[in-house]
Structures are given as C-alpha cells and as structure tokens.
C-alpha cells in the first residue's frame, strides 16, 4: 500500500514571498502520478499541479512549481509571489498507474496562511 | 466550477437512518469516484465506477454502497448511520484515459451531519 506524508501541519508566509510545502511518499511502484490539490475555506478541492513519475522535468503552473525527487520519494510544492487567495489547505496525493484503479491516496494536508 | 455537481449540499439526519448522495460527472467523463473527508480519517477513497461498472474499492464500509447509472450519474447510499459517518463526501470524475493521464475533478461535496 502507498502512503503519503505531509510533515508540516501548518505554515505561514507573507504576501509576495515564496513558500515550500513538503511531501514524501512510500511506494514500490515505478509508474505513478503525483498531485497537489488545494482546498480553500469553501471546501472545494482544486487541482494545483500534477507530475508524471516517468518525467524528469519538474512540473510548473504559473506561480506553482514542484521539486520532484523520485529516488528520495519527495514531491514538494513551491508557491512563488504568494497571494492572499493562496490561503488554503494543500493536499499531496499519489495515484498508482493501473489498468482500472485510479484511486488517489492523500496526505494529511498542510494548512497555509498567507499574511498581508 | 469543476463541472461536477453534487446534491444535496448539506444533509442532517439521525443515527440509524439511510441517506442517498447524488453526483453528476462532468460532461464526457466516464469514471466517477467517491471520497470521504473526516477529521479522524482525513481524505479517503471509497469507491470508483467506470461506465456503470465498479472498478475499485477502498475503505468503504459494508453499510455503504454505490452505483453508476446509464446516464453516468452516481449515487452513494449510506445506511444505518452512525455519529462517526459525519463527514464531507466528495464525488470526482475523470475521462479515464489510457495510462492514467486523466485528472480527477472534484465536486463541491455533500456535508453529512449525523445527530
């Protein structure tokens, strides 16, 4: 079974600064996907970024980028130029590539507060 | 707006009762997933359907069941409810591309409170 660990329950950052959220995972699989989802106070789950394990290049989406270290089983999220709207819970998630099963395994989340 | 709709938004019921949560996937998505978010267990995968057929099960209790209908909407049935079933229940949908390249888009969730 896969496990996902987010060791930072809460983090705080000043507006316009950069913050990095950590995520580690444990798996014996070689092919999988990793995701960061954002859950603002509205409780909606919003995809932030995804990374295919077979790709060495780190994914980026505007102000969001990841540092994917496959050997270390580490998948951190960097948020640049933090904005007040980035205040949310952030969940790291793992998905094994299977012919039929596409279940997401989530970490416990990191609550990010962006301070004005 | 993800395009996934869930009804109702809120549900308050008593222990021992049965409820049905409904989900309509995004247009074109064939696969539906149900997740439970609770304070105790975090976000957990419950069950997955693809084009009407069950594809995967997670930590779903025997008191819970689900199905996906020919029009692709899905229902999650929760019976003999207990206080611990109080949670936010999410439905997600995806196209289901080969190789797992699809993305799951989440609905707004149904907040279930069992009193």
């Amino acid at each position: 079974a896969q496990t996902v660990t987010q060791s930072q329950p809460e983090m705080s950052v000043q507006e316009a600064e950069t913050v990095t959220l950590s995520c580690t995972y444990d798996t014996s699989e070689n092919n999988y996907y990793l995701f960061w989802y954002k859950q603002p106070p509205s409780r909606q789950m919003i995809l932030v970024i995804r990374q295919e394990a077979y790709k060495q290049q780190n994914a980026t989406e505007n102000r969001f980028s990841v540092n994917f270290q496959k050997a270390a089983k580490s998948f951190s999220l960097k948020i640049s130029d933090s904005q007040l709207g980035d205040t949310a819970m952030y969940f790291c998630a793992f998905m094994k590539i299977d012919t039929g099963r596409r279940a997401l395994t989530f970490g416990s989340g990191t609550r990010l507060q962006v301070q004005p | 707006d993800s395009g996934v709709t869930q009804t109702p938004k809120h549900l308050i019921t008593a222990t021992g009762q049965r409820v049905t949560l409904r989900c309509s996937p995004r247009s074109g998505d064939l696969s539906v997933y149900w997740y439970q978010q609770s304070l105790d267990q975090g976000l957990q995968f419950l069950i997955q359907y693809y084009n009407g057929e069950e594809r995967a099960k997670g930590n779903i209790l025997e008191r819970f069941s689900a199905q996906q209908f020919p029009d692709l909407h899905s229902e999650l049935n929760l019976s003999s409810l207990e206080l611990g079933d109080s949670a936010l229940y999410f439905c997600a949908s995806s196209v289901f591309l080969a190789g797992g390249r699809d993305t799951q888009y989440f609905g707004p969730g149904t907040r279930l409170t069992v009193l």
Side-chain angles (χ1 to χ4, degrees):
Chain A
Q2 292 78 30
T3 58
V4 178
T5 302
Q6 294 180 250
S7 58
Q8 305 153 314
E10 294 186 4
M11 293 193 73
S12 181
V13 64
Q14 293 295 124
E15 200 174 3
E17 292 189 348
T18 296
V19 63
T20 298
L21 309 183
S22 301
C23 171
T24 58
Y25 57 95
D26 186 23
T27 185
S28 58
E29 302 291 332
N30 192 47
N31 294 319
Y32 49 87
Y33 288 90
L34 295 164
F35 305 84
W36 280 97
Y37 278 87
K38 166 185 175 181
Q39 188 178 38
S42 67
R43 296 290 191 166
Q44 176 78 48
M45 293 289 288
I46 302 165
L47 177 69
V48 175
I49 200 165
R50 60 180 280 155
Q51 174 78 42
E52 291 86 347
Y54 62 85
K55 287 187 177 179
Q56 292 186 343
Q57 186 174 7
N58 290 325
T60 62
E61 286 288 341
N62 301 313
R63 297 183 295 108
F64 299 88
S65 61
V66 298
N67 183 2
F68 172 50
Q69 301 290 327
K70 191 173 183 179
K73 296 181 183 174
S74 170
F75 183 61
S76 61
L77 174 70
K78 185 171 83 170
I79 306 174
S80 304
D81 185 26
S82 296
Q83 300 176 359
L84 295 178
D86 295 334
T87 292
M89 281 287 287
Y90 286 81
F91 292 95
C92 178
F94 172 100
M95 185 183 78
K96 182 180 79 169
I97 296 175
D98 200 321
T99 52
R101 183 186 181 96
R102 301 283 167 84
L104 291 170
T105 299
F106 287 92
S108 56
T110 296
R111 185 176 303 279
L112 177 67
Q113 181 72 44
V114 180
Q115 305 286 354
Chain B
D1 184 359
S2 66
V4 179
T5 60
Q6 289 187 248
T7 57
K9 287 187 177 179
H10 303 278
L11 201 47
I12 301 175
T13 188
T15 54
Q17 295 299 304
R18 173 189 170 94
V19 297
T20 297
L21 313 184
R22 182 187 170 103
C23 168
S24 293
R26 295 187 321 154
S27 177
D29 284 359
L30 297 177
S31 199
V32 169
Y33 313 80
W34 287 96
Y35 293 87
Q36 179 196 57
Q37 185 177 28
S38 64
L39 288 175
D40 292 342
Q41 304 290 332
L43 262 165
Q44 285 197 108
F45 167 72
L46 295 178
I47 198 164
Q48 172 195 349
Y49 278 83
Y50 172 75
N51 206 20
E53 294 186 1
E54 182 185 304
R55 275 299 179 99
K57 263 187 174 179
N59 298 323
I60 187 166
L61 300 171
E62 285 192 9
R63 300 183 285 108
F64 295 1
S65 65
Q67 54 183 327
Q68 185 180 27
F69 295 86
D71 67 353
L72 301 177
H73 91 271
S74 178
E75 292 181 357
L76 178 66
N77 300 296
L78 315 177
S79 61
S80 302
L81 286 168
E82 302 174 359
L83 296 178
D85 298 328
S86 296
L88 186 57
Y89 291 85
F90 285 108
C91 171
S93 73
S94 73
V95 175
F96 200 88
L97 299 173
R101 291 192 304 276
D102 49 337
T103 294
Q104 292 183 29
Y105 294 92
F106 282 73
T110 292
R111 166 72 67 186
L112 173 65
T113 302
V114 182
L115 301 175

